Amino acid sequence: MSLRAYDPNARGLRKFVLLVIFAITLPSMMLTGFGLIAIQNERHATLKRVKDLYTPITGKLEQKVQGYFVQLLEKSSQSLDHLAAWATREVSFCEDRLEGLKYQGSWIATNFFVMHAHEGVLLPRMGHADPTWYGFLPESFDRALKMEFLDNHPAGAVEIHQSLLRNTSGASPLRCMVLNALGRCLSKTNNKKEAKEILDVLIDDCADFVDASGYNLALGALLRRIQLENPKATEQMLALGLKLSQYLSKPNIQASFDQIQLVIEESRKVLESTDRKALASVFHWLESLSARRDILNHLRGRIQDVQASVTTKVFRINGVRRLFLVKKIVDHQEVELLAGCELIPAGLDKMVADLLEHMEVEGVVGHLRPSELEFDQAELVAGVAFLKNTDFAWRLDVDLVDNEALERLSGSRITMYVWILVLLILALALGIGKTVHFMIRETRLSKLKTDFVSSVSHELRTPLTSIRMFTETLLLGRVESREEMRECLETIGHETERLSRLVERILDFSRMEAGRKAFRFQPERLDEIVRTAVAACRPMIEKDSFAVSTIFDDRLSHVWVDRDAMVEVVVNLLSNAIKYSTDRREVEIKTQQNEQWIVLSVRDQGIGIPKTEQKKIFEKFHRVDTPLSSAVSGSGLGLSLVDYIVRAHQGEVKVISTPGSGSTFMVCLPHRHDDADSKHGEEA
Ligand code: ADP
């Protein structure tokens, strides 16, 4: 609905509405802007508070970490001596003597190497692994292999291996071979759960078992185990990844260079589809392991650069800065050796965690990382320290344990700001909506009132004019016969009646407006009410030659209504039916009943009412604004009175209408009015 249609001063009104909207929207937008800035500031302030809180803790932690590195240098010296002696086959391997390069039983280093001044790389061993067992396998094992590979029937092989397993005990070589074959067959039959269990047993029980072809069973099982795991099971993946990294880091690993390389590549492929952030340490570890060949190439011929005491050295290999512990050792034949290993920052996370626990700091986790590594945007860094007093090209990051901690810290206040903002904006929007709605309604009402005054004046003037005209005729003695005099007096009488009906309607309306209209409900016959109304409209009916038919439902007995009010309802509907009909001058009044209502309907074949207007015609002063309707004079009060009266009877008025075909107004009254009556009485 356009404002222009209702307001003669539409332009002025539009300007005013725009001004109101502008006056409300501008401050609300500014408020939103300030709110967002406040939220940002709050986040920064909280981050700063967190940093202020953790800076001293980070400083203290850094000192402790540096203290650990001093000890590490001392302890690792002997470990590297042992490594060199073992590589030159002076002593046999003793893992305990490498404790200096471990933290709580786990390697903190990898890529162990020993270089000989003349012979080159002694460690890692580049060739094949020596088999640990050459024994014979039982005939049934061969049968299972045949079934698995030739008959392509791994399920059958599973059964044979399972029965073999029942007959073997302890960590015998045969048991390792069977476990390996069973794990493989189970994964082929897609029996993941059992396959995983068998592989776990194999990894633990047959850690150093190398079969006759030089294949390390445990290493192969570790890879298969990772491949079988659900990539989304982050915790299990992390545990498996770290287990594999530790296994691959063993200086005396019993596996061929090729098998190691293959396992690293394949497991990295699987890890691609995991939560990379949670498995960052495994990625770092495997990345270092996969650079083994490049590292060895880089270190070849660097013996001269290294001192006799253990030191840390940073080498840039393929663009990556790597930190090594190195030591020059002279063997029993007076030949120089270079022994060392690459230190892995992730290997020391446990040490940092223990220090934090010792310091009784909670809610954060510490990580040692290569210092050039970029800060992870997703991680909330509470403190950073670069290890200045050592050669370690690492930095110490202290991160909040869960990324939402900061949000939570600043969250309560931010939530409050957001809510205030939302409420303010809602209130403003509601204000704008209500103001505009109110203004449109007022404008419309003022237009309707103006129309009402002019149409009522018109309605008053018409009968008054004829009364005056006929009175003058009588006074001037222009009437010649008694017959003519009678006609004049009759017309004056009709017009006076019409006038008083109009005045009565206006008075009724004003009573209704003031809530002073009283109803007296009693049992009445609906057909009698209709007859009274038709009789009241008789002059109109006859004047325009209308045919009014009535159909009454015989079953209807008494209805609880206010007689006069109900007659007024029917008169209004009937006179509208007459007023708004053109050629087809037929009106039908009908009473009937259904389960819910007693229905009185007035049907005409007049001009009809457009769909969009059918609700509005019951509003006070509203008149349909079409040429056909406007041609008929009226006040726009009739239907609002009808609606008011019917609702006072706890009923409702409905209209069905098609423009050009006619309208049917239906007054629906409830069956029993006893309760309503007493209720109304109470209200009154
Ligand atoms: P009015 O005094 O103008 O007749 P009402 O409240 O009785 O006032 O009716 C409101 C408007 O509804 C009318 O102006 C007319 O446009 C429309 N209307 C009412 N009854 C009919 C009908 N039977 N057929 C067509 N239009 C109707």
Side-chain angles (χ1 to χ4, degrees):
M1 182 189 309
S2 90
L3 293 176
R4 199 185 289 267
Y6 293 106
D7 188 2
N9 302 315
R11 279 188 62 189
L13 175 75
R14 237 198 352 253
K15 264 192 197 160
F16 184 61
V17 170
L18 284 176
L19 200 75
V20 169
I21 293 176
F22 185 69
I24 297 176
T25 330
L26 191 73
S28 78
M29 276 166 68
M30 281 170 65
L31 210 71
T32 314
F34 287 138
L36 292 177
I37 293 171
I39 288 172
Q40 270 299 330
N41 284 350
E42 184 59 34
R43 194 169 279 145
H44 283 145
T46 315
L47 192 61
K48 193 170 174 308
R49 277 204 297 278
V50 168
K51 283 211 163 137
D52 288 350
L53 185 71
Y54 283 104
T55 302
I57 293 171
T58 313
K60 229 188 241 169
L61 185 67
E62 182 207 351
Q63 281 176 4
K64 293 196 183 240
V65 170
Q66 295 203 17
Y68 173 84
F69 280 130
V70 173
Q71 285 175 19
L72 173 67
L73 280 176
E74 280 168 18
K75 284 198 282 176
S76 62
S77 183
Q78 287 170 3
S79 298
L80 292 182
D81 285 344
H82 177 69
L83 204 66
W86 172 63
T88 53
R89 301 180 196 278
E90 282 173 38
V91 292
S92 56
F93 186 78
C94 173
E95 196 165 318
D96 288 350
R97 296 189 60 187
L98 295 179
E99 273 307 308
L101 295 168
K102 282 184 167 182
Y103 182 80
Q104 292 192 350
S106 299
W107 297 110
I108 55 169
T110 189
N111 291 333
F112 293 92
F113 58 85
V114 176
M115 303 270 182
H116 191 275
H118 311 309
E119 292 168 26
V121 181
L122 300 182
L123 183 79
R125 304 220 165 107
M126 306 298 286
H128 294 282
D130 296 332
T132 47
W133 185 66
Y134 287 102
F136 288 105
L137 290 159
E139 183 271 331
S140 52
F141 189 89
D142 284 342
R143 200 151 37 85
L145 285 185
K146 186 175 155 291
M147 233 179 220
E148 181 189 349
F149 291 106
L150 294 182
D151 306 343
N152 216 356
H153 180 40
V158 165
E159 277 175 32
I160 300 177
H161 288 311
Q162 274 169 341
S163 78
L164 264 172
L165 202 60
R166 277 192 289 276
N167 297 329
T168 55
S169 59
S172 73
L174 173 62
R175 194 173 126 85
C176 292
M177 294 295 286
V178 175
L179 282 171
N180 183 48
L182 181 58
R184 190 180 58 230
C185 291
L186 282 169
S187 40
K188 278 186 189 171
T189 54
N190 223 358
N191 196 340
K192 282 192 186 174
K193 191 168 167 282
E194 266 185 69
K196 282 194 217 170
E197 283 169 13
I198 293 291
L199 290 171
D200 283 340
V201 176
L202 172 64
I203 292 163
D204 289 342
D205 290 1
C206 310
D208 291 321
F209 189 94
V210 179
D211 75 4
S213 65
Y215 175 78
N216 182 316
L217 298 194
L219 189 55
L222 264 168
L223 173 61
R224 192 166 293 133
R225 185 66 185 75
I226 287 178
Q227 287 169 333
L228 283 177
E229 193 57 68
N230 171 11
K232 300 279 169 280
T234 308
E235 236 172 77
Q236 283 90 322
M237 270 295 186
L238 181 66
L240 283 170
L242 288 175
K243 202 168 191 176
L244 177 70
S245 309
Q246 289 288 319
Y247 193 91
L248 287 167
S249 296
K250 281 161 56 155
N252 65 332
I253 182 170
Q254 298 297 312
S256 69
F257 202 89
D258 289 343
Q259 189 188 358
I260 291 173
Q261 217 57 29
L262 180 94
V263 170
I264 293 170
E265 277 164 28
E266 290 302 314
S267 49
R268 279 177 88 182
K269 271 187 214 160
V270 178
L271 290 170
E272 286 300 321
S273 51
T274 60
D275 178 353
R276 290 185 68 102
K277 196 166 158 268
L279 279 104
S281 55
V282 179
F283 273 100
H284 286 160
W285 210 289
L286 291 179
E287 189 277 324
S288 291
L289 281 159
S290 64
R292 273 195 323 165
R293 213 182 282 269
D294 295 335
I295 291 170
L296 292 175
N297 287 340
H298 190 86
L299 292 173
R300 249 184 263 267
R302 291 206 176 244
I303 297 184
Q304 307 317 321
D305 308 347
V306 175
Q307 298 168 7
S309 61
V310 65
T311 47
T312 55
K313 269 223 175 283
V314 177
F315 294 122
R316 184 176 279 276
I317 301 167
N318 288 345
V320 182
R321 289 206 308 168
R322 299 180 180 281
L323 184 71
F324 293 90
L325 276 181
V326 285
K327 183 179 182 185
K328 185 153 68 179
I329 297 163
V330 179
D331 77 353
H332 61 286
Q333 289 172 335
E334 299 293 316
V335 181
E336 284 180 340
L337 300 168
L338 169 62
C341 56
E342 182 185 356
L343 279 173
I344 302 289
L348 287 162
D349 281 355
K350 177 85 181 78
M351 179 270 292
V352 179
D354 286 350
L355 286 178
L356 277 171
E357 196 183 320
H358 196 246
M359 286 162 67
E360 293 180 356
V361 180
E362 285 176 4
V364 288
V365 52
H367 290 294
L368 282 165
R369 292 181 173 131
S371 49
E372 72 268 24
L373 199 77
E374 278 183 22
F375 288 99
D376 187 343
Q377 291 298 321
E379 222 149 52
L380 292 167
V381 183
V384 182
F386 290 89
L387 303 180
K388 296 179 287 292
N389 300 334
T390 61
D391 292 336
F392 292 82
W394 291 350
R395 64 161 201 262
L396 178 67
D397 289 354
V398 175
D399 303 327
L400 291 179
V401 168
D402 82 77
N403 281 352
E404 279 142 34
L406 182 65
E407 297 295 330
R408 268 208 305 283
L409 283 172
S410 56
S412 51
R413 258 192 251 188
I414 290 177
T415 317
M416 192 179 77
Y417 289 153
V418 170
W419 273 114
I420 291 177
L421 257 182
V422 168
L423 285 180
L424 270 175
I425 291 170
L426 274 182
L428 284 172
L430 202 77
I432 294 176
K434 278 276 163 207
T435 312
V436 171
H437 180 76
F438 177 75
M439 275 162 40
I440 289 174
R441 223 188 52 189
E442 281 305 299
T443 319
R444 200 170 142 234
L445 213 62
S446 89
K447 154 118 183 12
L448 291 175
K449 275 183 182 160
T450 318
D451 289 356
F452 169 73
V453 171
S454 75
S455 61
V456 164
S457 338
H458 177 76
E459 290 226 340
L460 285 174
R461 212 179 296 129
T462 320
L464 276 176
T465 311
S466 39
I467 291 171
R468 207 180 60 211
M469 214 174 71
F470 284 103
T471 320
E472 270 174 18
T473 313
L474 286 174
L475 280 176
L476 292 174
R478 288 200 194 132
V479 187
E480 286 167 8
S481 63
R482 278 187 76 82
E483 193 55 33
E484 269 183 288
M485 185 189 275
R486 229 179 82 83
E487 265 179 34
C488 278
L489 285 173
E490 256 178 24
T491 313
I492 291 171
H494 280 151
E495 292 303 310
T496 318
E497 219 172 84
R498 190 169 136 195
L499 207 59
S500 60
R501 245 203 336 266
L502 182 66
V503 171
E504 191 54 40
R505 182 184 291 187
I506 295 170
L507 284 177
D508 249 1
F509 175 74
S510 85
R511 271 187 226 118
M512 177 187 98
E513 280 282 271
R516 278 191 287 111
K517 186 158 173 68
F519 294 94
R520 216 156 15 91
F521 297 106
Q522 53 193 34
E524 301 284 353
R525 290 188 59 91
L526 209 48
D527 48 354
E528 274 176 21
I529 288 174
V530 172
R531 281 193 194 98
T532 314
V534 174
C537 293
R538 183 67 57 202
M540 261 178 117
I541 298 169
E542 283 173 1
K543 187 171 152 252
D544 295 328
S545 322
F546 265 85
V548 178
S549 59
T550 47
I551 304 172
F552 297 120
D553 187 336
D554 298 335
R555 291 169 303 157
L556 262 179
S557 53
H558 289 87
V559 197
W560 275 87
V561 289
D562 177 311
R563 186 187 161 83
D564 292 344
M566 216 21 90
V567 169
E568 197 178 338
V569 165
V570 184
V571 166
N572 270 313
L573 295 179
L574 182 57
S575 58
N576 274 354
I578 294 169
K579 273 187 342 188
Y580 299 106
S581 290
T582 47
D583 317 331
R584 285 165 297 165
R585 301 177 172 210
E586 283 167 26
V587 181
E588 181 192 273
I589 306 177
K590 194 172 171 182
T591 59
Q592 62 198 106
Q593 60 179 329
N594 57 31
E595 260 184 30
Q596 196 184 358
W597 300 112
I598 293 165
V599 185
L600 184 151
S601 57
V602 179
R603 185 158 67 90
D604 63 53
Q605 297 183 26
I607 60 173
I609 306 155
K611 190 113 195 111
T612 48
E613 296 284 326
Q614 287 177 9
K615 251 206 169 107
K616 291 183 201 154
I617 51 174
F618 295 100
E619 291 171 13
K620 56 190 175 189
F621 309 130
H622 188 87
R623 306 202 66 227
V624 177
D625 197 11
T626 59
L628 275 177
S629 291
S630 308
V632 181
S633 62
S635 58
L637 291 182
L639 287 181
S640 65
L641 264 172
V642 168
D643 186 55
Y644 176 80
I645 293 169
V646 175
R647 274 196 287 118
H649 284 72
Q650 310 231 321
E652 44 188 72
V653 190
K654 294 177 186 166
V655 60
I656 302 171
S657 182
T658 319
S661 305
S663 320
T664 305
F665 281 84
M666 285 170 293
V667 173
C668 306
L669 297 168
H671 276 280
R672 281 171 55 88
H673 204 263
D674 319 35
D675 302 346
D677 182 36
S678 61
K679 203 168 170 195
H680 194 86
E682 274 167 33
E683 273 171 16

